[in-house]
Amino acid sequence: MNTFEIGILLPAFIAGLVVLSTHVPLGTEVLRRGIIFIDLAIAQVAGLGVIAADRLGFEQSGWMVQVSAVSAALLVSLILHWTHRRWPDVQEALIGICFVMAAAAGILLLAGNPHGGENLRELLVGQILWVTYEQLVPVAIVSAIILGFWFRFRSRMDGLPFYVLFAFAVTTSVQLVGIYLVFASLIIPALATLRIDKRIRRLGAGYCIGGIGYALGLVLSAWFDLPSGAVIVWTLAAVALVAGRLNGANARAKA
C-alpha cells in the first residue's frame, strides 16, 4: 500500500471512528429498547432532507443542506416519540413504514434528476473514501457534544431527549458514511456484545469490533478496488461473528 492510498484511507478510518464513537453506546440502548430500525428511518429521512435541499437548488456542501437534514431528522424523531407514547406495541412497524415512505419520497424527488441514481447510491453506500479532514472537524465536535450529553445524562435520556439526541447523531453520520454504514455501525457491535454484562467492557468490545471492521474493510476495498462502504458492512459483520463466537467460548469455559 503506497503513501497515496494511506493518505486517502486515514481520514476515512478516522471518519469511521467518529461515527462509532456515538453509535456504539447508542446502539446498545436501541437494542435494549427494541427499536432496532429507528436509525434506518431517521437516516433515510435525514437523507431526504439533503435531497430536498438539493432539489431546491442549495449548494451541496452549504449550511442550508445541513439545516434541512437536521430539521427533517428532528421532525421524524418528534413523530416517532409521539407514536411510541400512543402505540408502543406497534412502534417497530411504524418505524418501518416511516423508512419506506422516506425512501419512496427520495426516489420521487430524484426522478427528474439525470444524476439521481448516483445521488441515491451515495446516500445509501456513502463516499467515505472522499471524506476530508475539514469535514471531520465539525462532525467530531458535534459527536463529542453528543457523547458528553449521553454519558452525563444517560439515566435521564428517556423519551423525547433520547430521540432528539439520536437524530443529531444519525444526521451527522449519514452524510459521512451513508445509510448502510450508519445502521451497521449502530447495530452490529451492539449485537455482537449483547452477552457482555459489564457496561464498560461491552462498550470497549464494541469499539474494538467497530474499529477492526472499519480498518479491515478499508484495506480490502483498496486492495480489490471495491466500494468501501459495502465492504466495511461485510467486514463489520465478519469481525462481529468472530468476536461473538469467542465471547461464547469464553462464557462456556468459565461455566
Side-chain angles (χ1 to χ4, degrees):
M1 188 174 297
N2 56 41
T3 305
F4 176 73
E5 290 176 325
I6 294 174
I8 293 177
L9 295 182
L10 184 58
F13 179 63
I14 295 173
L17 295 181
V18 171
V19 171
L20 290 168
S21 69
T22 56
H23 282 45
V24 169
L26 289 177
T28 60
E29 184 66 15
V30 165
L31 210 58
R32 185 185 71 82
R33 295 180 182 220
I35 47 176
I36 299 171
F37 295 104
I38 186 174
D39 67 314
L40 273 179
I42 293 180
Q44 187 68 60
V45 172
L48 180 61
V50 173
I51 293 172
D54 181 69
R55 181 68 181 268
L56 292 172
F58 293 109
E59 186 180 352
Q60 190 171 8
S61 58
W63 66 272
M64 277 302 298
V65 173
Q66 309 305 319
V67 170
S68 178
V70 171
S71 299
L74 287 175
L75 177 60
V76 77
S77 295
L78 293 174
I79 293 172
L80 290 176
H81 172 253
W82 179 76
T83 58
H84 179 71
R85 295 181 62 186
R86 191 172 180 87
W87 303 293
D89 53 328
V90 293
Q91 177 70 350
E92 192 74 349
L94 294 173
I95 290 172
I97 292 171
C98 179
F99 165 76
V100 76
M101 288 180 67
I107 291 173
L108 291 174
L109 286 177
L110 291 170
N113 187 335
H115 303 290
E118 181 181 348
N119 292 344
L120 186 60
R121 177 179 174 276
E122 289 181 5
L123 180 63
L124 294 174
V125 185
Q127 289 288 334
I128 190 172
L129 281 184
W130 306 114
V131 170
T132 64
Y133 291 112
E134 289 76 13
Q135 288 177 279
L136 288 174
V137 171
V139 175
I141 292 172
V142 172
S143 297
I145 294 172
I146 290 170
L147 280 175
F149 269 96
W150 176 250
F151 287 114
R152 178 66 178 84
F153 303 106
R154 186 173 63 89
S155 60
R156 306 178 196 173
M157 285 290 174
D158 195 18
L160 184 59
F162 172 76
Y163 280 88
V164 171
L165 195 73
F166 194 82
F168 275 103
V170 170
T171 304
T172 56
S173 301
V174 73
Q175 296 181 64
L176 280 183
V177 299
I179 292 174
Y180 292 162
L181 268 181
V182 165
F183 181 77
S185 301
L186 190 86
I187 297 301
I188 291 177
L191 190 60
T193 58
L194 185 62
R195 296 184 179 180
I196 298 177
D197 296 328
K198 293 184 178 180
R199 187 167 62 90
I200 298 299
R201 284 187 58 200
R202 186 178 183 186
L203 284 176
Y207 283 131
C208 288
I209 290 169
I212 295 171
Y214 267 87
L216 185 60
L218 286 169
V219 170
L220 289 176
S221 66
W223 277 348
F224 295 104
D225 193 24
L226 293 170
S228 297
V231 175
I232 294 170
V233 168
W234 276 88
T235 53
L236 278 172
V239 172
L241 181 61
V242 172
R245 294 295 296 271
L246 290 176
N247 286 333
N250 290 334
R252 288 192 295 272
K254 290 179 181 178

